[in-house]
Amino acid sequence: MTRLNLCADESRAAGEDPIGTAPHWAEVTVLELDVPMWARLRDVNAWTPEQQDVFAALRGKVEASGAGFGLLMSAPATPGRPLRVRHYTLGGTPHGGLGGYVRRDYASDLPQSDWARGLHDTLLDPSALTGGNWTAAPAPDGPDLHVCTHGTVDAACGRYGVPVFQALGGAGVRAWRTGHFGGHRFAATAVELPSGLLWAHLTPELAVQVARREVTPAQVAGHLRGHAGLPPLAQLLDRHLLVQYGWDWLNRARHATVETHPDGGHTVTLTSSGPHGPETYRAPVLPAAPLLLPGSSHAPARAPVAQWTLGPVTTLPGTRA
């Protein structure tokens, strides 16, 4: 039997640019669940009627608003403890730059198996977080790196994610062993909050350097999947501006629109909160030659993977860069 290459190795060997692969999230809920609970949450056929209702309501919310949400499962520091949730919403401080997410923590006496209550109360009915089952807990300053180590979903995440998680913890960076959130061909892949950046093909050394900002954005641009606060194609322009302005760019609130043209091209317009007022940038995004890559380390099937090119960036009148 032929042994398959890891999909992450195939992606790196092909020179895949991961930019534009970050999901677009208006908010993120992190459920602190023991690793065995991850499989139970992912087993749709085993959901209770209550759990099914929660996800049906979440689908309705996304369809009505067009705003997606992130769901991360992270192993708690103390296994077996009651359910805790961390809820991130796009916005300013505390505990994040204007361009990132605001973190709020909640503890409960609920068993971890009641994870659907955590989703309902953070994403569907936040008023339930005041009193009742939940107690607000102080949220710490600094970044959290959620590293996918979910090797049962894809072997690449177990192979490359676990050493990255261990290196971050050994360096004193707050890191979480996290279930699958998409993009295992980018292993080791991580979600950095509250900045909202997603990273690809991290090594243990590089992960620590990124977390400590010991490298410039230009040095790690090829490892950036994008900022989850923006639509995928807008993430290309956002990366360009991050490289131009440096890490301080992350302290700016940003929003963007994407216009699609009949020829398959797009125009991205991004406005940021600059030091002297709003700054607006525009650039075309054009399709590049796709890559033929496996979607999994466990199956040989390959499919085209989109690649994109950012055209000339224009600073619109009235912008004071």
Side-chain angles (χ1 to χ4, degrees):
M1 181 176 180
T2 303
R3 182 177 179 179
L4 298 175
N5 293 330
L6 295 178
C7 59
D9 293 341
E10 295 271 3
S11 172
R12 283 193 301 271
E16 181 181 5
D17 185 353
I19 193 63
T21 65
H24 187 193
W25 293 333
E27 54 189 322
V28 184
T29 290
V30 184
L31 302 171
E32 294 191 16
L33 302 175
D34 293 339
V35 174
M37 189 66 66
W38 297 357
R40 293 172 61 182
L41 190 152
R42 288 174 55 85
D43 186 2
V44 177
N45 294 326
W47 286 352
T48 65
E50 177 193 12
Q51 292 164 348
Q52 293 173 7
D53 290 346
V54 167
F55 273 95
L58 287 171
R59 285 192 295 271
K61 175 182 177 179
V62 171
E63 292 171 358
S65 67
F69 65 90
L71 166 58
L72 302 178
M73 303 175 290
S74 291
T78 303
R81 75 176 180 184
L83 179 66
R84 295 175 65 99
V85 298
R86 303 193 298 280
H87 187 215
Y88 293 84
T89 53
L90 272 176
T93 55
H95 311 300
L98 291 172
Y101 293 77
V102 177
R103 171 178 168 172
R104 297 178 177 87
D105 288 29
Y106 301 93
S108 78
D109 292 325
L110 298 169
Q112 292 183 17
S113 58
D114 210 356
W115 51 263
R117 182 73 60 85
L119 289 179
H120 176 274
D121 292 354
T122 53
L123 297 174
L124 294 172
D125 184 16
S127 64
L129 296 169
T130 303
N133 295 301
W134 303 102
T135 302
D141 289 315
D144 289 87
L145 273 292
H146 299 82
V147 184
C148 182
T149 61
H150 210 163
T152 57
V153 173
D154 195 281
C157 293
R159 169 76 176 274
Y160 295 119
V162 171
V164 164
F165 164 74
Q166 293 172 336
L168 287 167
V173 176
R174 202 161 50 243
W176 301 85
R177 185 180 177 187
T178 303
H180 174 67
F181 49 78
H184 32 257
R185 71 175 184 274
F186 301 122
T189 182
V191 180
E192 178 189 316
L193 291 167
S195 72
L197 300 182
L198 271 77
W199 296 99
H201 298 151
L202 292 174
T203 64
E205 179 182 13
L206 183 59
V208 173
Q209 292 173 330
V210 165
R212 292 176 171 173
R213 303 297 192 244
E214 295 175 345
V215 287
T216 67
Q219 290 174 305
V220 293
H223 293 269
L224 184 59
R225 294 181 60 184
H227 170 43
L230 295 172
L233 292 182
Q235 295 164 11
L236 278 84
L237 179 53
D238 188 62
R239 179 178 68 173
H240 172 89
L241 295 166
L242 173 62
V243 169
Q244 178 177 335
Y245 289 105
W247 294 116
D248 284 346
W249 176 255
L250 301 180
N251 293 321
R252 303 186 185 198
R254 290 107 72 199
H255 67 270
T257 59
V258 179
E259 180 184 359
T260 301
H261 306 300
D263 63 359
H266 307 267
T267 298
V268 174
T269 303
L270 187 152
T271 299
S272 74
S273 58
H276 307 292
E279 300 175 357
T280 301
Y281 307 86
R282 182 171 292 157
V285 175
L286 304 172
L291 301 173
L292 197 62
L293 294 173
S296 167
S297 299
H298 305 157
R302 293 171 177 264
V305 171
Q307 295 282 269
W308 302 96
T309 299
L310 184 71
V313 178
T314 302
T315 303
L316 298 191
T319 293
R320 298 172 61 184

